[in-house]
Amino acid sequence: AISLRTRAWIETHFGWLKAAAGMRQVKQRGLTKVEALFQLAMAASNLVRLPKLIAAGAA
């Protein structure tokens, strides 16, 4: 059960990366450039989640 919840949570993030962050098809070449783009997109994902996490912590 924990594994299924974790997998679903991770899949939502990858779905966001593909839809909103434009990482369905990368325009860079090379592992280091693609990795940097991925890390930047994941940081943006965390910033999008931050207000909801702050609100949940205050409640």
Side-chain angles (χ1 to χ4, degrees):
I2 294 172
S3 175
L4 290 175
R5 275 185 295 180
T6 304
R7 188 176 303 155
W9 183 76
I10 290 171
E11 286 296 324
T12 59
H13 288 285
F14 279 106
W16 184 87
L17 285 175
K18 288 180 179 180
M23 286 199 61
R24 184 170 299 277
Q25 184 174 7
V26 294
K27 291 150 183 76
Q28 287 75 23
R29 296 290 181 249
L31 187 59
T32 55
K33 290 180 183 178
V34 173
E35 183 179 2
L37 182 65
F38 176 78
Q39 288 181 354
L40 181 66
M42 287 306 291
S45 171
N46 287 334
L47 288 174
V48 168
R49 291 178 50 226
L50 196 59
K52 183 178 177 182
L53 294 174
I54 290 173

